[in-house]
């Protein structure tokens, strides 16, 4: 009985994870996306069907399924039995000729940042420019994604794209709405160390980087890899991974906020 109580208690503590498929927070009017709500359920509770509650803003949607298809803009959340409400996902629906799509999950420093400029009904976009804070940063002759292989904090800002479409003659340049992107900085990649009493993971990580040239530098990776260290790395160098993650590492889907 105690075990059952503990399991039920655990089930009540974790928020369900809300995800978006495909992962872009802006879609064209008429398109549909799938939202999925994954709760952490002890095996015991899986024996009974888990019903899910869905919210659009403050509205309760009439579905109890684990995933739903939607095409209405707004702020979505889900909830599984006994658990708190999930983090939100903001979905935008556009009527423009061009949309700039960014993933709903936040990008951490060192990870790739992919921006996707799409033409209406996936028409090819020509003379495609990507802009970062008003400056053209990339040109493509025709439709292509703009990928920053290792994003940095300085890649945060407002992005936009422009291009022409053949409808059927070539149009004047058209512009997407601007989208704000925030690249999350990990606590241990931010130099210099804080003046008063740095957190233990900062101390351990800096020691790790300076004393172990033969081992891969994990200090810029995010989230920290769970892969074992390559042969030749001593057990001392594994220490930083045993410290656990600082709470700031949790993914926060609402950070790539869309702006009209
Ligand atoms: C852009 O990226 C998406 C998702 O990774 C992919 O499906 C799409 O084909 C890419 N578009 C282009 C023009 O490369």
């Amino acid at each position: 009985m105690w075990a059952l109580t503990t399991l039920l208690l655990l089930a009540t503590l974790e928020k369900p994870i809300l995800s978006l498929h495909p992962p872009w927070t802006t879609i064209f009017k008429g398109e549909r996306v799938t939202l999925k709500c994954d709760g952490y359920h002890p095996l015991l509770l899986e024996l009974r069907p888990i019903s899910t509650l869905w919210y659009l803003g403050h509205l309760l949607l009439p579905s109890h399924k684990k995933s739903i298809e939607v095409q209405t803009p707004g702020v979505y959340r889900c909830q599984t039995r006994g658990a708190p409400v999930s983090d939100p996902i903001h979905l935008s629906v556009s009527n423009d000729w061009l949309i700039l799509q960014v993933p709903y999950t936040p990008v951490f420093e060192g990870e790739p940042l992919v921006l996707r400029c799409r033409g209406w009904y996936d028409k090819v976009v020509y003379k495609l420019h990507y802009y970062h804070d008003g400056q053209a940063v990339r040109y493509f002759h025709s439709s292509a994604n703009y990928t920053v292989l290792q994003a940095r904090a300085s890649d945060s800002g407002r992005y936009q794209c422009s291009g022409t479409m053949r409808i059927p003659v070539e149009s004047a340049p058209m512009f997407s709405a601007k989208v704000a992107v925030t690249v999350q900085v990990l606590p241990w990649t931010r130099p210099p160390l804080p003046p008063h009493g740095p957190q233990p993971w900062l101390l351990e990580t800096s020691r790790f980087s300076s004393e172990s040239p033969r081992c891969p530098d994990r200090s810029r990776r995010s989230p920290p890899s769970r892969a074992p260290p390559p042969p030749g790395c001593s057990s001392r160098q594994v220490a930083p991974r045993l410290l656990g993650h600082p709470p700031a590492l949790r993914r926060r889907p609402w950070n790539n906020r869309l702006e009209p």
Side-chain angles (χ1 to χ4, degrees):
M1 192 57 214
W2 267 113
L4 175 64
T5 314
T6 313
L7 285 175
L8 287 172
L9 265 176
L10 280 175
T12 64
L13 293 178
E14 294 276 7
K15 284 188 226 179
I17 301 293
L18 178 60
S19 58
L20 176 65
H21 312 271
W24 317 100
T25 51
T26 305
I27 56 172
F28 282 117
K29 195 172 176 173
E31 288 184 329
R32 289 168 169 275
V33 285
T34 301
L35 289 166
K36 226 175 120 201
C37 189
D38 289 299
Y40 294 107
H41 306 292
L43 193 62
L44 212 70
L45 292 183
E46 298 272 21
L47 297 177
R48 287 168 61 192
I50 306 288
S51 74
T52 306
L53 297 179
W54 289 95
Y55 303 94
L56 170 54
H58 294 296
L59 206 73
L60 187 62
L61 298 176
S63 172
H64 297 292
K65 291 189 180 150
K66 198 178 160 186
S67 67
I68 58 171
E69 273 205 342
V70 297
Q71 55 179 356
T72 309
V75 179
Y76 289 88
R77 289 180 174 82
C78 71
Q79 191 172 23
T80 47
R81 190 195 308 148
V85 179
S86 72
D87 290 334
I89 286 182
H90 301 241
L91 183 68
S92 290
V93 174
S94 169
N95 229 345
D96 295 337
W97 282 98
L98 277 185
I99 56 176
L100 182 60
Q101 294 186 309
V102 301
Y104 77 97
T105 49
V107 174
F108 288 93
E109 262 200 328
E111 287 181 342
L113 166 65
V114 181
L115 305 177
R116 185 185 188 201
C117 190
R118 272 181 71 206
W120 177 252
Y121 274 101
D122 283 319
K123 273 183 158 301
V124 177
V125 180
Y126 296 95
K127 298 177 185 164
L128 169 60
H129 286 275
Y130 284 90
Y131 304 87
H132 177 210
D133 289 335
Q135 302 274 317
V137 285
R138 203 59 207 272
Y139 173 82
F140 296 99
H141 169 68
S142 63
S143 289
N145 296 332
Y146 174 49
T147 305
V148 177
L149 283 178
Q150 290 194 305
R152 298 173 165 275
S154 57
D155 293 314
S156 298
R158 289 162 73 77
Y159 285 85
Q160 190 180 23
C161 66
S162 76
T164 64
M165 263 173 282
R166 297 181 182 168
I167 44 176
V169 292
E170 192 161 347
S171 71
M174 295 184 280
F175 289 81
S176 74
K178 289 178 182 163
V179 180
V181 171
T182 305
V183 177
Q184 310 273 305
V185 181
L186 294 167
W188 59 77
T189 62
R190 194 185 289 134
L193 291 176
H196 310 295
Q199 298 297 316
W201 60 79
L202 287 170
L203 278 175
E204 285 299 324
T205 308
S206 51
R207 234 183 270 153
F208 173 66
S209 314
S210 57
E211 289 179 11
S212 52
R214 279 185 307 140
C215 297
D217 179 8
R218 293 179 184 279
S219 62
R220 293 194 59 80
R221 294 272 178 82
S222 62
S225 163
R226 289 186 201 286
C233 289
S234 77
S235 57
R236 176 182 58 82
Q237 290 148 349
V238 180
R241 292 189 296 115
L242 302 176
L243 289 170
H245 312 326
L249 271 178
R250 293 274 320 243
R251 293 194 155 242
R252 298 187 187 280
W254 62 85
N255 276 321
N256 280 337
R257 205 173 296 275
L258 282 162
E259 303 201 343

